[in-house]
Amino acid sequence: MALLMEKGAEPQTESELADLDAISALKESAALELKEEGNKYVKMGKKHYSEAINCYTRAINQKALSDTETSLIFSNRAHVNLLLGNYGRALSDSEEAIKLSPTNLKAFYRAAKASLSLNKLVEARDFCEKGLNQNPDNVELKKLCELIDSKISERQQHEAQVSKALTAAKGLVSAIEDRGLKIGKAMFQELTGLKKPILDKDHILHWPVLLLYAEVMSSDFIEDFYNSAPLPWDKENVYTRDSIELYYEAGSGVCLSKKEIISNFLQGTVASHLETYGDDETDAVKSSSKGMASVGEGGSKWVKVNERRTLHAVLREPKFVIPGIPGLSP
């Protein structure tokens, strides 16, 4: 009997051939029944999806159906996996269905949907195009293709914004390096938020400055030094331009590396999630060992600002580590 034949042996008698034909027919019948049973489970709702997948898997494992029929079962299983959110499995099943039957439009559609859900937009677009090449009038594929194109456009716009923010941050760091300035950890973000210097088209750095009034436990954030309007809280007009002196704290803080400064400047932008910054990575590693040393080995002290000097000259003082943005105390 064929059931007792050794593995790999060829049937020798008509009886053995008949037995093999009968076994093949039984397996084919079982596979088709399992397919239909799986379809019924799908119609019964989400609670029965796992049973549907089990039926489809058993049908495939019979290895008794034609490539076209097996392709349909893989496509059906992909459909259920999509409904369950198993997008990786859905994509794998769809790809198997396409291999077995390159004309299976549902497989292309489900492969595209799975790829889209996995954020594989290029692959999703490719599956749509291949499906539409076979049937240009397929409405579902057309709609899905339009959605994917929209997502691709959104991604390109986002990438352009990220690139612009990163370029701006690198430009700031380069300008700061050229001027010999030292940047430390931001100390006053609860007062200033994520404010940072601005590099204009003429390569001029514009620094916001925080004034800290220790006597009255208040502060003033200055973005334009030419604005000399009186302080709204200074009712007695004590803090006038002619009556105050400015001081900065020297010898405190730790210089940040280039990589750390770029990361700080990217805060609050669309590029804040970046962990690597391209060509500057090597430079950042090299500079970090030097930058981690404090310039305040002899302790910190408050130094009076010579008002005849520019802000740029003050910021370049050897022991002045800018705490994110300059902070001065009247």
Side-chain angles (χ1 to χ4, degrees), residues 53-90:
I53 287 178
N54 180 53
C55 286
Y56 291 142
T57 301
R58 290 165 60 197
I60 291 168
N61 290 341
Q62 293 295 321
K63 298 180 180 180
L65 301 176
S66 67
D67 287 349
T68 300
E69 193 67 45
T70 305
S71 174
L72 292 175
I73 299 175
F74 268 112
S75 182
N76 288 355
R77 194 171 71 177
H79 171 62
V80 182
N81 275 316
L82 277 172
L83 294 173
L84 288 171
N86 300 329
Y87 303 122
R89 294 176 184 176

Side-chain angles (χ1 to χ4, degrees), residues 282-295:
T282 303
D283 293 339
V285 172
K286 289 180 180 178
S287 65
S288 61
S289 58
K290 296 180 181 179
M292 289 306 292
S294 172
V295 299

Side-chain angles (χ1 to χ4, degrees), residues 56 68 80 155 171 228 300 317 327:
Y56 291 142
T68 300
V80 182
R155 174 186 282 184
S228 57
S300 64
E317 284 292 331

Side-chain angles (χ1 to χ4, degrees), residues 43-284:
K43 294 177 181 178
M44 291 169 67
K46 188 173 183 178
K47 290 183 178 180
H48 299 276
Y49 287 168
S50 60
E51 294 168 287
I53 287 178
N54 180 53
C55 286
Y56 291 142
T57 301
R58 290 165 60 197
I60 291 168
N61 290 341
Q62 293 295 321
K63 298 180 180 180
L65 301 176
S66 67
D67 287 349
T68 300
E69 193 67 45
T70 305
S71 174
L72 292 175
I73 299 175
F74 268 112
S75 182
N76 288 355
R77 194 171 71 177
H79 171 62
V80 182
N81 275 316
L82 277 172
L83 294 173
L84 288 171
N86 300 329
Y87 303 122
R89 294 176 184 176
L91 178 58
S92 177
D93 279 347
S94 298
E95 289 176 327
E96 287 297 325
I98 291 169
K99 287 178 185 178
L100 290 167
S101 178
T103 59
N104 188 339
L105 281 181
K106 286 186 177 180
F108 281 109
Y109 176 78
R110 288 162 185 168
K113 283 198 71 173
S115 297
L116 175 59
S117 297
L118 293 168
N119 208 28
K120 296 181 177 182
L121 301 183
V122 175
E123 292 88 339
R125 187 70 169 79
D126 184 58
F127 283 122
C128 273
E129 287 181 346
K130 288 179 178 177
L132 287 171
N133 285 339
Q134 296 184 43
N135 186 350
D137 299 322
N138 188 283
V139 176
E140 287 186 326
L141 279 171
K142 281 184 175 181
K143 288 182 178 179
L144 185 57
C145 197
E146 289 175 1
L147 176 60
I148 293 167
D149 285 342
S150 175
K151 295 289 185 181
I152 290 174
S153 179
E154 288 176 8
R155 174 186 282 184
Q156 290 173 339
Q157 290 177 15
H158 178 73
E159 289 175 349
Q161 291 172 345
V162 169
S163 177
K164 183 178 179 180
L166 181 57
T167 299
K170 287 182 177 181
L172 268 176
V173 172
S174 178
I176 287 168
E177 284 184 329
D178 291 343
R179 289 160 172 76
L181 307 181
K182 295 170 287 297
I183 304 293
K185 182 179 178 181
M187 300 297 293
F188 310 108
Q189 285 188 338
E190 71 277 5
L191 299 174
T192 65
L194 298 176
K195 289 290 186 181
K196 49 183 170 282
I198 296 173
L199 184 66
D200 68 19
K201 62 180 180 180
D202 297 318
H203 205 63
I204 296 173
L205 267 177
H206 297 264
W207 285 94
V209 176
L210 182 68
L211 299 181
L212 299 165
Y213 304 92
E215 292 179 350
V216 292
M217 298 296 289
S218 186
S219 64
D220 195 22
F221 186 61
I222 307 297
E223 294 190 68
D224 185 354
F225 270 94
Y226 295 101
N227 182 356
S228 57
L231 301 170
W233 51 265
D234 186 18
K235 302 301 182 183
E236 297 179 4
N237 206 29
V238 174
Y239 290 92
T240 63
R241 175 65 183 82
D242 296 328
S243 65
I244 65 171
E245 296 176 343
L246 293 177
Y247 294 81
Y248 68 86
E249 189 175 11
S252 67
V254 175
C255 301
L256 299 180
S257 69
K258 178 184 292 188
K259 181 178 179 180
E260 290 169 324
I261 299 171
I262 291 175
S263 177
N264 286 351
F265 286 161
L266 288 177
Q267 289 183 30
T269 73
V270 294
S272 60
H273 65 285
L274 293 181
E275 296 181 358
T276 58
Y277 312 114
D279 296 337
D280 284 326
E281 289 300 303
T282 303
D283 293 339

